[in-house]
């Protein structure tokens, strides 16, 4: 096995790192080190999927909160 292949495998962001990067992007904070890791070794498709999932979950939570507040008001 080639050592460069091993190094590339180690540099790819893990599932947890993708989730944390997505949350950091939603809040608007990200370290330069993590941003460089994401752009150099990250999969474009993984970040798009994480963004879509996060957005859907965020909207669902907002809808749940609004419905709960409205049902408690009247």
């Amino acid at each position: 096995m080639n050592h460069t292949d091993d190094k590339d495998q180690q540099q790819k962001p893990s599932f947890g790192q993708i989730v944390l990067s997505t949350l950091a992007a939603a809040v608007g904070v990200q370290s330069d080190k993590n941003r460089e890791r994401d752009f150099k070794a990250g999969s474009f498709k993984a970040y798009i999927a994480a963004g879509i999932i996060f957005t859907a979950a965020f909207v669902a939570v907002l809808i749940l909160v609004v419905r709960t507040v409205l049902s408690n008001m009247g």
Side-chain angles (χ1 to χ4, degrees), residues 28-51:
V29 295
Q30 179 77 292
S31 69
D32 283 337
K33 182 181 99 173
N34 289 345
R35 183 185 48 78
E36 287 180 21
R37 178 201 65 214
D38 295 342
F39 280 103
K40 287 182 181 176
S43 168
F44 179 72
K45 292 176 185 177
Y47 288 100
I48 293 295

Side-chain angles (χ1 to χ4, degrees), residues 56-74:
F58 182 72
V59 169
V61 167
L62 285 178
I63 290 170
L64 180 66
V65 168
V66 169
R67 285 186 179 181
T68 302
V69 168
L70 290 176
S71 69
N72 288 333
M73 288 182 68

